[in-house]
Amino acid sequence: MNKELNGVGIIGIGSAVPEKILTNADLEKMVDTSDEWITKRTGISERRILDKDTPVYELGVKAAQKAIEDAGITAEDIDLIIAATTSPDYLFPQMACLIQAKIGAKKAAAFDLNAACSGFVYGLTVAQNFLLNGQYKYILVIGCEGLSRMVDWEDRNTCVLFGDAAGAVVLGAVDNKYGILSTHIGADGEMGNVLTMPCCYITEEDIKVREHENKKVMWMDGQEVFKFAVKIMEQASLKVIEGANLSIEDVNYVFPHQANTRIIDGALKRLGMKSDKIHPIIQKYGNISSASIPVALDEAVKEGKIKKGDNLVLVGFGGGLTWGSALIKWAK
Ligand code: ACO
């Protein structure tokens, strides 16, 4: 128990990406597409892809070890591991348990959380509450994805978009003026059918209507997701800015889920913000789902862009449909 806890924030951060690069030129040889189409419509030039013998959770292990080292603690100090993922190697053992065993976080409880690309922000929100109520002292939240394992490599509509990566943070006590100042999560299950990935239940109708369901690969109505994303990113950002009693002018950086440069530009425009508020990674990594926010944040921190006291908006959207946002006053 940790009753004196005042504020909760990120005290350590790390990330990992596979070495193998798949460029748009490589994809031109695999499906009917072009570098020009992909770059213009999405902003993506290349993505990182895991080799087939490496499990996805290995990326989470690497990111977690870096975050723990950055926090100046040991794996045995961790009380809880939350792995936000839509692409676990197994339904069970859960990715969080596989990571727990590999890093030696012997006393930690562990579970997976699936809120698609919003998963990392959902994970932060859950972790914050465990810390605020004093139950735990250190929580590891990891966004870890191997979406290259889930896309249909014959479907140009989806296979050009995604990549593999992991980002991790350790959350713990910070001075009460800093850390997570407000959070907001939401879902609209009625829109769930615009972005789907079948698992254990497939109806006869699904199989008749959509061949992809039978193949157990991802499917999406890109334009519906696009419209939803631009709108919800604006609304969710405003929610946490207001929740922290701040205004748009007080925000130093926005870390959006990076699915498409045009979605990010659209959301920024609605917020009246300039593009220099973003640390872009989509060009080199593609859409890395729940890993995109922590990977971008880690790289921005390592590049020295983020200073103590900066106000950061983290905002994600994804399958479900789901969304989540957090306002963090950087504490390190
Ligand atoms: N190369 C060439 N042509 C293509 C490709 C490709 N890779 N993909 C689609 N096209 C074609 C289509 O077949 C279509 O051709 P048609 O007009 O002859 O039918 C044409 O390009 C236009 O297709 P649109 O779908 O209208 O293209 P759009 O401009 O909407 O861009 C995109 C598609 C990039 C998918 C966009 O809609 C988007 O980014 N949507 C949001 C996606 C997203 O955020 N997904 C998040 C999922 S992450 C998660 O939660 C796991």
Side-chain angles (χ1 to χ4, degrees):
M1 298 292 268
N2 187 24
K3 290 290 182 199
E4 323 87 279
L5 191 62
N6 289 315
V8 165
I10 293 173
I11 61 166
I13 185 161
S15 62
V17 296
E19 278 175 21
K20 187 180 165 196
I21 296 173
L22 186 73
T23 65
N24 290 350
D26 296 328
L27 280 162
E28 285 177 356
K29 295 178 203 137
M30 296 161 64
V31 287
D32 180 16
T33 191
S34 65
D35 174 46
E36 194 202 350
W37 191 97
I38 303 171
T39 311
K40 210 164 132 200
R41 299 289 183 111
T42 71
I44 302 166
S45 299
E46 56 190 44
R47 65 289 292 146
R48 299 298 180 102
I49 306 288
L50 270 172
D51 66 74
K52 67 177 177 26
D53 299 324
T54 306
V56 179
Y57 83 91
E58 290 283 1
L59 286 173
V61 168
K62 283 191 190 150
Q65 285 168 332
K66 289 180 190 170
I68 290 166
E69 189 187 345
D70 188 44
I73 61 169
T74 69
E76 294 191 357
D77 296 318
I78 301 288
D79 298 297
L80 173 65
I81 300 173
I82 301 174
T85 185
T86 50
S87 44
D89 301 286
Y90 304 90
L91 278 180
F92 47 87
Q94 296 81 345
M95 182 180 275
C97 295
L98 294 165
I99 294 171
Q100 183 231 27
K102 197 77 185 255
I103 66 175
K106 290 187 191 322
K107 78 168 182 197
F111 64 85
D112 289 0
L113 184 159
N114 178 354
C117 305
S118 318
F120 180 75
V121 182
Y122 263 69
L124 277 189
T125 307
V126 173
Q128 179 200 26
N129 284 290
F130 272 118
L131 293 163
L132 284 176
N133 77 15
Q135 189 167 351
Y136 292 135
K137 195 169 172 196
Y138 297 116
I139 301 183
L140 187 58
V141 180
I142 309 160
C144 180
E145 302 285 8
L147 288 163
S148 67
R149 303 269 161 90
M150 287 168 44
V151 293
D152 180 351
W153 287 102
E154 292 173 7
D155 177 12
R156 67 178 184 175
N157 291 294
T158 51
C159 76
V160 304
L161 303 176
F162 297 96
D164 306 334
V169 296
V170 175
L171 293 179
V174 297
D175 185 286
N176 70 0
K177 289 194 204 70
Y178 295 87
I180 301 174
L181 301 187
S182 67
T183 57
H184 165 67
I185 54 175
D188 182 357
E190 287 184 14
M191 282 191 76
N193 63 347
V194 302
L195 184 49
T196 61
M197 172 72 213
C199 179
C200 302
Y201 177 68
I202 302 173
T203 63
E204 285 299 314
E205 189 59 19
D206 284 335
I207 292 167
K208 263 190 269 153
V209 174
R210 295 179 188 165
E211 195 202 351
H212 72 276
E213 301 263 8
N214 200 17
K215 287 202 261 177
K216 292 204 176 182
V217 289
M218 186 190 301
W219 180 88
M220 75 178 166
D221 179 336
Q223 289 183 1
E224 281 303 311
V225 179
F226 194 112
K227 281 187 269 172
F228 163 81
V230 172
K231 196 173 58 174
I232 208 67
M233 296 243 278
E234 178 204 14
Q235 290 172 0
S237 300
L238 289 175
K239 258 270 194 290
V240 288
I241 294 168
E242 283 160 18
N245 289 320
L246 296 173
S247 63
I248 298 229
E249 293 70 42
D250 298 318
V251 175
N252 301 93
Y253 275 97
V254 181
F255 289 89
H257 167 49
Q258 302 195 24
N260 184 317
T261 304
R262 290 186 293 136
I263 293 178
I264 299 169
D265 291 346
L268 284 182
K269 196 169 166 202
R270 288 169 81 122
L271 285 163
M273 286 181 176
K274 296 215 174 96
S275 59
D276 62 0
K277 297 268 180 193
I278 303 291
H279 179 75
I281 57 166
I282 186 168
Q283 187 208 11
K284 56 181 179 173
Y285 297 147
N287 180 346
I288 50 176
S289 191
S290 67
S292 80
I293 293 173
V295 169
L297 182 56
D298 183 43
E299 294 198 355
V301 168
K302 300 281 160 26
E303 285 178 28
K305 283 188 174 175
I306 311 295
K307 298 181 302 296
K308 185 168 181 176
D310 278 354
N311 293 311
L312 315 178
V313 170
L314 280 48
V315 59
F317 65 91
L321 295 178
T322 56
W323 62 89
S325 51
L327 190 306
I328 297 181
K329 189 176 273 295
W330 194 246
K332 273 175 75 79

PDB file of all heavy atoms in Angstrom, residues 24-36:
ATOM      1  N   ASN A  24       7.843   0.788 -49.266  1.00  0.00           N
ATOM      2  CA  ASN A  24       6.746   0.834 -50.240  1.00  0.00           C
ATOM      3  C   ASN A  24       7.169   0.167 -51.546  1.00  0.00           C
ATOM      4  O   ASN A  24       6.346  -0.477 -52.213  1.00  0.00           O
ATOM      5  CB  ASN A  24       6.328   2.284 -50.494  1.00  0.00           C
ATOM      6  CG  ASN A  24       5.640   2.896 -49.284  1.00  0.00           C
ATOM      7  OD1 ASN A  24       5.310   2.182 -48.334  1.00  0.00           O
ATOM      8  ND2 ASN A  24       5.425   4.200 -49.317  1.00  0.00           N
ATOM      9  N   ALA A  25       8.444   0.308 -51.887  1.00  0.00           N
ATOM     10  CA  ALA A  25       8.938  -0.339 -53.121  1.00  0.00           C
ATOM     11  C   ALA A  25       8.825  -1.859 -52.999  1.00  0.00           C
ATOM     12  O   ALA A  25       8.464  -2.541 -53.966  1.00  0.00           O
ATOM     13  CB  ALA A  25      10.389   0.069 -53.378  1.00  0.00           C
ATOM     14  N   ASP A  26       9.100  -2.393 -51.809  1.00  0.00           N
ATOM     15  CA  ASP A  26       8.934  -3.852 -51.589  1.00  0.00           C
ATOM     16  C   ASP A  26       7.474  -4.244 -51.799  1.00  0.00           C
ATOM     17  O   ASP A  26       7.175  -5.276 -52.403  1.00  0.00           O
ATOM     18  CB  ASP A  26       9.342  -4.246 -50.159  1.00  0.00           C
ATOM     19  CG  ASP A  26      10.818  -4.004 -49.883  1.00  0.00           C
ATOM     20  OD1 ASP A  26      11.619  -4.137 -50.824  1.00  0.00           O
ATOM     21  OD2 ASP A  26      11.157  -3.678 -48.719  1.00  0.00           O
ATOM     22  N   LEU A  27       6.555  -3.417 -51.268  1.00  0.00           N
ATOM     23  CA  LEU A  27       5.124  -3.743 -51.378  1.00  0.00           C
ATOM     24  C   LEU A  27       4.627  -3.693 -52.821  1.00  0.00           C
ATOM     25  O   LEU A  27       3.717  -4.431 -53.197  1.00  0.00           O
ATOM     26  CB  LEU A  27       4.309  -2.780 -50.507  1.00  0.00           C
ATOM     27  CG  LEU A  27       4.304  -3.139 -49.021  1.00  0.00           C
ATOM     28  CD1 LEU A  27       3.881  -1.951 -48.179  1.00  0.00           C
ATOM     29  CD2 LEU A  27       3.371  -4.316 -48.754  1.00  0.00           C
ATOM     30  N   GLU A  28       5.270  -2.823 -53.619  1.00  0.00           N
ATOM     31  CA  GLU A  28       4.881  -2.749 -55.044  1.00  0.00           C
ATOM     32  C   GLU A  28       5.046  -4.101 -55.723  1.00  0.00           C
ATOM     33  O   GLU A  28       4.354  -4.413 -56.686  1.00  0.00           O
ATOM     34  CB  GLU A  28       5.734  -1.698 -55.774  1.00  0.00           C
ATOM     35  CG  GLU A  28       5.334  -0.271 -55.471  1.00  0.00           C
ATOM     36  CD  GLU A  28       6.256   0.752 -56.151  1.00  0.00           C
ATOM     37  OE1 GLU A  28       7.255   0.340 -56.801  1.00  0.00           O
ATOM     38  OE2 GLU A  28       5.975   1.957 -56.038  1.00  0.00           O
ATOM     39  N   LYS A  29       5.997  -4.907 -55.190  1.00  0.00           N
ATOM     40  CA  LYS A  29       6.236  -6.231 -55.802  1.00  0.00           C
ATOM     41  C   LYS A  29       5.259  -7.282 -55.263  1.00  0.00           C
ATOM     42  O   LYS A  29       5.170  -8.382 -55.780  1.00  0.00           O
ATOM     43  CB  LYS A  29       7.668  -6.691 -55.497  1.00  0.00           C
ATOM     44  CG  LYS A  29       8.716  -5.810 -56.148  1.00  0.00           C
ATOM     45  CD  LYS A  29      10.111  -6.261 -55.773  1.00  0.00           C
ATOM     46  CE  LYS A  29      11.083  -5.101 -55.945  1.00  0.00           C
ATOM     47  NZ  LYS A  29      12.042  -4.968 -54.863  1.00  0.00           N
ATOM     48  N   MET A  30       4.535  -6.939 -54.177  1.00  0.00           N
ATOM     49  CA  MET A  30       3.661  -7.937 -53.541  1.00  0.00           C
ATOM     50  C   MET A  30       2.184  -7.767 -53.893  1.00  0.00           C
ATOM     51  O   MET A  30       1.454  -8.736 -54.015  1.00  0.00           O
ATOM     52  CB  MET A  30       3.831  -7.845 -52.010  1.00  0.00           C
ATOM     53  CG  MET A  30       5.251  -8.207 -51.561  1.00  0.00           C
ATOM     54  SD  MET A  30       5.655  -7.595 -49.900  1.00  0.00           S
ATOM     55  CE  MET A  30       4.509  -8.478 -48.895  1.00  0.00           C
ATOM     56  N   VAL A  31       1.730  -6.504 -53.991  1.00  0.00           N
ATOM     57  CA  VAL A  31       0.324  -6.231 -54.330  1.00  0.00           C
ATOM     58  C   VAL A  31       0.263  -5.093 -55.349  1.00  0.00           C
ATOM     59  O   VAL A  31       1.279  -4.413 -55.585  1.00  0.00           O
ATOM     60  CB  VAL A  31      -0.521  -5.829 -53.072  1.00  0.00           C
ATOM     61  CG1 VAL A  31      -0.792  -7.015 -52.180  1.00  0.00           C
ATOM     62  CG2 VAL A  31       0.130  -4.698 -52.295  1.00  0.00           C
ATOM     63  N   ASP A  32      -0.935  -4.877 -55.902  1.00  0.00           N
ATOM     64  CA  ASP A  32      -1.100  -3.831 -56.902  1.00  0.00           C
ATOM     65  C   ASP A  32      -1.182  -2.476 -56.195  1.00  0.00           C
ATOM     66  O   ASP A  32      -2.264  -1.987 -55.862  1.00  0.00           O
ATOM     67  CB  ASP A  32      -2.388  -4.127 -57.694  1.00  0.00           C
ATOM     68  CG  ASP A  32      -2.638  -3.072 -58.760  1.00  0.00           C
ATOM     69  OD1 ASP A  32      -1.696  -2.316 -59.077  1.00  0.00           O
ATOM     70  OD2 ASP A  32      -3.788  -3.006 -59.257  1.00  0.00           O
ATOM     71  N   THR A  33      -0.017  -1.888 -55.925  1.00  0.00           N
ATOM     72  CA  THR A  33       0.025  -0.592 -55.236  1.00  0.00           C
ATOM     73  C   THR A  33       1.221   0.198 -55.745  1.00  0.00           C
ATOM     74  O   THR A  33       1.973  -0.278 -56.599  1.00  0.00           O
ATOM     75  CB  THR A  33       0.099  -0.780 -53.704  1.00  0.00           C
ATOM     76  OG1 THR A  33      -0.116   0.474 -53.068  1.00  0.00           O
ATOM     77  CG2 THR A  33       1.431  -1.355 -53.246  1.00  0.00           C
ATOM     78  N   SER A  34       1.395   1.410 -55.225  1.00  0.00           N
ATOM     79  CA  SER A  34       2.553   2.214 -55.633  1.00  0.00           C
ATOM     80  C   SER A  34       3.012   3.054 -54.444  1.00  0.00           C
ATOM     81  O   SER A  34       2.211   3.401 -53.570  1.00  0.00           O
ATOM     82  CB  SER A  34       2.176   3.138 -56.791  1.00  0.00           C
ATOM     83  OG  SER A  34       1.215   4.073 -56.340  1.00  0.00           O
ATOM     84  N   ASP A  35       4.290   3.366 -54.477  1.00  0.00           N
ATOM     85  CA  ASP A  35       4.856   4.234 -53.438  1.00  0.00           C
ATOM     86  C   ASP A  35       4.072   5.552 -53.402  1.00  0.00           C
ATOM     87  O   ASP A  35       3.733   6.065 -52.333  1.00  0.00           O
ATOM     88  CB  ASP A  35       6.343   4.480 -53.735  1.00  0.00           C
ATOM     89  CG  ASP A  35       6.958   5.479 -52.788  1.00  0.00           C
ATOM     90  OD1 ASP A  35       6.719   5.356 -51.570  1.00  0.00           O
ATOM     91  OD2 ASP A  35       7.653   6.413 -53.245  1.00  0.00           O
ATOM     92  N   GLU A  36       3.745   6.049 -54.596  1.00  0.00           N
ATOM     93  CA  GLU A  36       3.041   7.335 -54.671  1.00  0.00           C
ATOM     94  C   GLU A  36       1.670   7.259 -53.957  1.00  0.00           C
ATOM     95  O   GLU A  36       1.338   8.139 -53.165  1.00  0.00           O
ATOM     96  CB  GLU A  36       2.850   7.722 -56.141  1.00  0.00           C
ATOM     97  CG  GLU A  36       2.438   9.178 -56.283  1.00  0.00           C
ATOM     98  CD  GLU A  36       1.737   9.463 -57.599  1.00  0.00           C
ATOM     99  OE1 GLU A  36       1.726   8.592 -58.495  1.00  0.00           O
ATOM    100  OE2 GLU A  36       1.161  10.564 -57.698  1.00  0.00           O
TER     101      GLU A  36
END
